Amino acid sequence: MEYASFLALRGQSWTDFETRLQSARQRPRGVSYGDLEGLAVGYRQILHDHALASARYPGTGAARRLGRLAVEATRFLYREHRESGSTWVRFWTRSFPEAFRQNLGHTLAAIFLFSVAALFGFSLAVTQVSLGASLLGPKAVRDLENGQLWTESLVHSVPPSLSSSAIARNNVGVALAGWAAGALAGIGALYILFLNGFLLGALFGVTLHYSLAGGLLEFVSAHGPLEITLILVTSAAGLRMGRALVEATDRRRRDVLRIAGRDSLRILLGCLPWFIPLGLVEGYLSPSPLVAPALKGAVGISLLALFWMTAWNPFLSKEQP
């Protein structure tokens, strides 16, 4: 699609969304649930268009405008119009866990698909080492041949403060892509799952060939469990939206999409804050040779357990008002 055609096709919808968003920001107390649902659907399309514009038309006015709209909408929707601390507490103790539980089937499906892709990538890299090594690049392969992981250079090449910020942005981008891509009948979310699973399996297959799989496992042990889980959970939320688009039920499609979109957005908002501590761990702790492997593993397990406790909330009861 040409840039001019892209603007002609989507430009009016961006203007409409910006108008609704500005109105909601000016009168937050007057925003109804219907308005929120409409903003959530429009927000999803803005994220999709932003990903497309960034990939095909980087640096253009449309890409910058969509980026600004995505940031402003994220800030507004993430607040969920919380005017008191009790609403904030309710989101983390009830709204997010309820949405997470409702989507557990899709999360399990995402885990299965990711595992299959990882196993395929691992098997392919073990049997075809040159193919797996091509995913790393020449410098990383030279490091492996010299008995070193490419991750060891992270300690000296980039300050942890900068790498943490870049890591957090990248992880958020992957999570948003998996979530927003669910609008494409779930196909985009499946792509994110298969791609990340395949790459992870292939990396371990290549490092195993050079007897460095243990070092890679040590590197990812602090941040990997939570990072993978967040990608799986957000992609699973995208799968639910994709399923709502194509599944035939006895209810109106508009109602099905509204419920799926509401829960999907809650899951995304419940996952996004976790990328901040995750980026700090991956930037400071994971590449550090001064931290014992056992401590890295303990941090990884603790972060994962804390997330699952928050997402599942064992104290949540159906009878709770």
Side-chain angles (χ1 to χ4, degrees):
M1 181 187 301
E2 295 183 355
Y3 180 65
S5 301
F6 180 61
L7 291 179
L9 179 65
R10 302 297 309 151
Q12 185 59 46
S13 66
W14 305 338
T15 302
D16 294 342
F17 177 81
E18 187 172 16
T19 301
R20 294 199 307 270
L21 180 61
Q22 290 177 351
S23 176
R25 293 173 66 184
Q26 293 171 358
R27 300 180 297 102
R29 292 182 179 272
V31 177
S32 66
Y33 286 110
D35 295 332
L36 275 178
E37 290 165 359
L39 281 172
V41 173
Y43 173 62
R44 190 182 196 87
Q45 187 61 56
I46 288 294
L47 291 177
H48 177 269
D49 289 348
H50 178 235
L52 180 62
S54 298
R56 295 188 179 181
Y57 321 113
T60 60
R64 291 192 297 270
R65 181 187 183 188
L66 288 167
R68 176 179 56 81
L69 284 176
V71 171
E72 292 177 355
T74 298
R75 290 174 177 171
F76 179 76
L77 292 173
Y78 180 68
R79 285 170 44 224
E80 279 201 353
H81 315 290
R82 293 185 287 268
E83 299 297 333
S84 65
S86 61
T87 309
W88 168 266
V89 172
R90 180 178 175 82
F91 174 80
W92 289 107
T93 59
R94 186 163 183 84
S95 299
F96 174 47
E98 280 183 342
F100 180 83
R101 291 188 180 193
Q102 289 291 331
N103 205 47
L104 186 60
H106 296 89
T107 302
L108 294 176
I111 293 173
F112 173 76
L113 294 173
F114 182 89
S115 301
V116 170
L119 182 60
F120 175 69
F122 178 82
S123 303
L124 188 64
V126 168
T127 56
Q128 301 289 334
V129 179
S130 59
L131 181 60
S134 65
L135 300 174
L136 294 173
K139 183 179 183 305
V141 173
R142 287 195 300 269
D143 290 341
L144 291 175
E145 292 173 346
N146 294 327
Q148 292 182 331
L149 284 173
W150 65 92
T151 57
E152 297 178 14
S153 62
L154 297 177
V155 180
H156 309 288
S157 59
V158 181
S161 57
L162 296 180
S163 63
S164 296
S165 177
I167 289 168
R169 289 196 303 270
N170 177 73
N171 289 339
V172 168
V174 173
L176 287 174
W179 178 78
L184 303 175
I187 297 176
L190 291 175
Y191 171 77
I192 294 296
L193 289 171
F194 278 113
L195 176 63
N196 284 273
F198 176 83
L199 290 176
L200 181 65
L203 289 179
F204 272 101
V206 172
T207 53
L208 180 65
H209 174 76
Y210 291 96
S211 302
L212 292 172
L216 180 60
L217 181 61
E218 176 189 337
F219 173 75
V220 302
S221 60
H223 66 272
L226 179 58
E227 180 179 323
I228 293 172
T229 299
L230 292 175
I231 292 174
L232 292 175
V233 171
T234 52
S235 295
L239 286 178
R240 183 174 185 186
M241 279 299 297
R243 180 178 178 180
L245 285 170
V246 300
E247 186 179 40
T249 67
D250 56 353
R251 292 183 295 176
R252 292 183 300 177
R253 190 175 302 277
R254 182 178 62 184
D255 296 334
V256 175
L257 284 172
R258 185 180 69 251
I259 296 173
R262 178 198 62 195
D263 290 345
S264 177
L265 182 61
R266 285 176 174 175
I267 292 172
L268 175 69
L269 297 180
C271 289
L272 287 181
W274 291 90
F275 285 105
I276 298 176
L278 184 63
L280 294 174
V281 170
E282 190 170 355
Y284 284 90
L285 188 67
S286 295
S288 175
L290 303 178
V291 181
L295 179 57
K296 293 181 180 180
V299 170
I301 294 174
S302 299
L303 283 174
L304 181 61
L306 185 59
F307 170 79
W308 277 95
M309 285 286 290
T310 303
W312 185 258
N313 188 4
F315 304 105
L316 178 68
S317 63
K318 294 183 179 180
E319 292 75 23
Q320 183 179 345

